[in-house]
Every structure is written in C-alpha cells, then in structure tokens.
Amino acid sequence: MTILARAIEVSRRYGDVVALDRVSLDIAAGELVGLLGPNGAGKSTLINLFAGLRRPTSGVVELFGGSPQDPAVRRGIGVTPQETGLPEALRVGEIVDFVSAHFPDRADKGELLARFGLDDLVRRQVGGLSGGQRRRLAVALAFAGKPRLVFLDEPTTGLDVEARRSLWEGVRSFHRDGGTVLLTSHYLEEIEALAERVVVVGSGRVLADGTVRDVRDVVGVRRISFVAPDLPELPGVVGSERVDGRVDLLTTDPDRLVVELVRSGTPFSGLEIRPTTLEEAFLALTSKEPSHG
Ligand SMILES: Nc1ncnc2c1ncn2[C@@H]1O[C@H](COP(=O)(O)OP(=O)(O)OP(=O)(O)O)[C@@H](O)[C@H]1O
C-alpha cells in the first residue's frame, strides 16, 4: 500500500485556538476519503497542511514521502479550497490553459470540461458564469495538472442537486481511473455517496476512522421508538424526541434500555429498534466529544 499523504501527531495552533490536536492520518493511493466534521473542526486546516499552505505547529506532514513545502512535490496534487476567486474577465478555456501551464503533465481540456459538465462554456467569461458553474470550474481546475491526489474542501457548497450529482460523477470518474481524493463535506449524503472511508473530526481530533458502516458501529447508536403516554427516567439515553405520542430515544445500549423500559412498568406499544443514520451517529459522536479530553 503506497501512502500518498501522511500526518503524524500533527497539531496546529492559531494563537490560543488549537485547530488540530495530535492528528495522525494516512491516505493511501487509490482511496476516496471523506473528512466529516462540524464547523471549526479543523478540516480546512488539515487540507491546508497537506497542500503546503500552512505548516504544523508540531508533528510531521508528508506528501508523496516528501515535504508539502517543496514545489516539486506539490505539483502532484490538485486543490480546490473552500473559496476561490477566479479572474472575472478570463474565459473558462483561458483559465484552464493558465492553470494547466503550471504542470508538466496536463489533462485534456475538452475532457476535463466535459467531466464537470462545462464543455458548452469554454468561451464564456468567468464573470458570466452562475455560482454553481464557477464552483464546478474551481473543482475542475484541481484536476488540470493530472494530479495523483486531489483535496476538495466542501466541493459542492452552493450547488443544486443536479450540479452536485454532475460534480460527484466527475470525482468518481477520476477515482475510477486510479486517482486519490480527500474531500470535506457537511453533506452526509455526499460522504455516503462518494467515500469508502470516513474520517470524523471534532475539535481538532480524529473521532472515528473507518467505513461508513464502521463509523456507525463505533458509535453503536440505535433509535428506539414506541408509543407511550409518559416516559420514566431511563439509563443510557443520548437523545430523545416526542412526536404525536410516539417517543424516539437514541441509545448506545438498546438491549438494556428495553429491559429498563419493561421493568419500569410503563405501558408502551409499537416498539421499533433501528440503526441510526450517519448523521445521527455523527451528532452523537461529536456531542460526546468533550469527554475525550
Ligand atoms: N487563520 C486563522 N486564524 C485564526 N484561527 C483560525 C484560522 N484558521 C482557522 N482557525 C480556527 O481553527 C479552527 C479550525 O478551523 P478550520 O477552518 O480548519 O475548520 P473546518 O473544519 O474547516 O470548519 P468549516 O467546516 O467551518 O470550514 C476554528 O476554530 C477556526 O476558527
């Protein structure tokens, strides 16, 4: 297994803020990794460290076995930051040419634009693009230099459903051809749709790292739902909700909760136990997060 990017016990501070706290992470060739975490978790900081745009306060970051500060090493990556300012007066085709010119190996312009659904816009000035088209162009540019590894920071922010799917298809086709991707997202459906591996970060730490299924299992949160008039104090409840007489409880130990519910003597009916969605698992993980420290 070839490791393309590696963080070893990496911390990054901004003054008093600890953006990353002893994070270790390997990205192997051919992986499509989703980095999931709430606002301020440290996702962009990690991408900036891998892309050589920032240096860690402590720890080591490696890219292709070298330093991300080395421009020759950096030529092997493509990056779409969260926000990009593209020159308004340039045409789409000119921007692709300009960015491609920085790389020894270049993607075919027509193919690149087609991959991201921009082939009809090659002569359009950037100033005349819609927000979604700009975002797709910014993402497409990350692939202009035939990178081995691409970092996409919230690539589909501001895109409608159709544009998002077309962008996903572009990322998938790069990955099918052997490309490696690390992307951040707040959209859980995006992580589930694209990534094989999910790394959950919260408050600068890696909280979970595995498949979508693993992450759910790590949390082990289940949803227990039933109809009951009143609810006694029950142990191990990490979240609860009542809608129209139906009670929904989130718990990491459904067996014990059901035993306690029966023991309490509370009349109930229509008992259901279901796995949680990734979003519920993720919220449970990050809300438990302070106890890690
Ligand atoms: N240049 C900076 N100066 C000061 N603090 C910063 C700077 N960049 C990031 N931070 C802080 O570091 C923490 C992590 O920020 P980061 O942008 O990496 O999080 P994120 O997970 O990408 O968040 P989001 O999902 O909102 O983009 C936050 O508390 C943020 O305010």
Side-chain angles (χ1 to χ4, degrees), residues 256-271:
R256 177 165 171 233
L257 187 53
V258 172
V259 167
E260 294 296 334
L261 178 65
V262 173
R263 268 204 194 127
S264 73
T266 307
F268 67 91
S269 60
L271 181 74

Side-chain angles (χ1 to χ4, degrees), residues 37-287:
N39 288 130
K43 304 182 295 296
S44 301
T45 300
L46 189 57
I47 285 190
N48 289 337
L49 293 178
F50 279 134
L53 300 171
R54 301 243 180 226
R55 291 167 195 268
T57 310
S58 63
V60 177
V61 181
E62 287 175 3
L63 201 55
F64 310 128
S67 163
Q69 305 298 323
D70 179 349
V73 168
R74 277 218 296 264
R75 260 181 225 127
I77 61 166
V79 186
T80 301
Q82 229 171 70
E83 275 162 34
T84 37
L86 298 168
E88 304 266 311
L90 285 187
R91 296 181 195 282
V92 167
E94 289 170 338
I95 292 206
V96 174
D97 290 339
F98 175 74
V99 173
S100 299
H102 291 78
F103 296 93
D105 200 8
R106 293 154 202 176
D108 177 85
K109 182 158 68 174
E111 271 175 33
L112 182 69
L113 292 175
R115 191 178 252 187
F116 289 95
L118 296 164
D119 33 348
D120 293 340
L121 299 169
V122 65
R123 295 197 44 77
R124 178 84 61 87
Q125 283 182 309
V126 168
L129 295 178
S130 74
Q133 290 164 342
R134 275 176 206 229
R135 191 67 192 144
R136 274 185 285 154
L137 175 59
V139 172
L141 291 174
F143 297 87
K146 287 207 176 166
R148 295 168 70 194
L149 171 59
V150 167
F151 298 100
L152 304 174
D153 201 352
E154 294 181 26
T156 56
T157 300
L159 296 189
D160 63 24
V161 174
E162 201 180 318
R164 193 182 304 171
R165 288 190 191 282
S166 129
L167 191 139
W168 287 355
E169 213 21 68
V171 173
R172 278 198 200 105
S173 87
F174 171 75
H175 181 238
R176 265 196 306 271
D177 293 343
T180 308
V181 182
L182 177 71
L183 66 94
T184 75
S185 183
H186 292 158
Y187 298 114
L188 300 162
E189 57 153 342
E190 179 156 83
I191 301 272
E192 290 193 291
L194 283 178
E196 297 147 346
R197 179 175 160 206
V198 194
V199 177
V200 182
V201 287
S203 301
R205 279 167 293 186
V206 173
L207 302 178
D209 182 351
T211 62
V212 170
R213 211 196 157 84
D214 286 342
V215 167
R216 286 206 196 105
D217 288 349
V218 163
V219 184
V221 176
R222 298 286 179 276
R223 177 178 287 271
I224 299 190
S225 168
F226 51 87
V227 177
D230 303 301
L231 196 61
E233 269 301 303
L234 292 167
V237 176
V238 294
S240 68
E241 205 175 78
R242 175 184 280 277
V243 183
D244 297 337
R246 199 164 180 92
V247 180
D248 273 21
L249 302 177
L250 293 181
T251 178
T252 50
D253 191 347
D255 299 334
R256 177 165 171 233
L257 187 53
V258 172
V259 167
E260 294 296 334
L261 178 65
V262 173
R263 268 204 194 127
S264 73
T266 307
F268 67 91
S269 60
L271 181 74
E272 285 172 17
I273 302 180
R274 281 181 285 127
T276 49
T277 62
L278 181 56
E279 178 152 33
E280 289 168 316
F282 165 63
L283 285 174
L285 251 180
T286 46
S287 66

